[in-house]
Amino acid sequence: MNITKQDRATASRQPTVSRNTSLGREFHRSATWEEGDTTVTVTVIAFVTGIRARRNPDGSVTLLDQVTRFDVLRKDEFVQPVERAVFLWDRERMAEDGTTVYDQEVDYSNEIGLYYQDTIEAAEEQCRIFVENLDFSAHFDPSAWK
């Protein structure tokens, strides 16, 4: 498949994928491939979520669970920002009977950061860099979608 379109600029917007757990802006990019009567588009959305964490008396940290924007933390707890990404795959193709078939797959990625950032702003910057540095021709193979 050949790339026919891809976003050049990284855009940010208010949370749409994970509204209650996203702690900041989303960064997104998309690309489209075509071959014959098949078109595949992937949209990558990177965002920051948080994990409730507790500082232990010995200085270690215990990661507890995912937080929402509405959670209230105890005095020994804090929010550890975590960068995540979602990959939305859309395919449009012709069936043997001549009708158009639409398929969609959603791939929820785990953490995309190499190490935890101290602030939400720093984690957002890592999301922006992740999306900006995507090489669609090297990192994605839409023809593998069966």
Side-chain angles (χ1 to χ4, degrees):
M1 298 191 96
N2 297 315
I3 292 180
T4 58
K5 178 181 151 190
Q6 92 180 266
D7 293 345
R8 292 184 189 271
T10 300
S12 64
R13 60 183 178 203
Q14 293 301 312
T16 57
V17 171
S18 187
R19 289 185 185 187
N20 288 336
T21 58
S22 181
L23 300 180
R25 298 173 294 164
E26 292 177 346
F27 299 86
H28 58 96
R29 251 180 105 190
S30 63
T32 301
W33 293 262
E34 291 182 11
E35 184 173 285
D37 59 1
T38 301
T39 301
V40 175
T41 300
V42 64
T43 302
V44 180
I45 303 172
F47 57 99
V48 178
T49 62
I51 297 176
R52 179 192 314 267
R54 179 180 59 236
R55 291 204 192 284
N56 299 313
D58 65 359
S60 64
V61 172
T62 302
L63 299 177
L64 302 170
D65 56 4
Q66 188 164 336
V67 297
T68 70
R69 296 178 293 147
F70 312 107
D71 287 339
V72 177
L73 303 175
R74 297 180 184 168
K75 66 179 182 178
D76 62 341
E77 294 179 342
F78 66 98
V79 173
Q80 175 59 63
V82 178
E83 306 96 75
R84 299 187 183 278
V86 172
F87 301 87
L88 306 172
W89 290 89
D90 292 294
R91 178 173 57 187
E92 182 179 325
R93 59 190 167 89
M94 295 299 281
E96 291 179 12
D97 64 1
T99 59
T100 303
V101 177
Y102 300 97
D103 302 308
Q104 185 176 59
E105 291 284 332
V106 179
D107 178 15
Y108 293 95
S109 173
N110 288 323
E111 299 172 19
I112 59 174
L114 297 176
Y115 56 91
Y116 290 133
Q117 301 296 319
D118 292 332
T119 65
I120 292 171
E121 293 78 15
E124 280 184 331
E125 180 63 12
Q126 291 302 308
C127 288
R128 185 191 64 75
I129 291 169
F130 173 81
V131 170
E132 197 171 84
N133 290 332
L134 284 173
D135 181 350
F136 287 105
S137 60
H139 296 139
F140 299 92
D141 182 10
S143 63
W145 186 4
K146 301 295 180 204

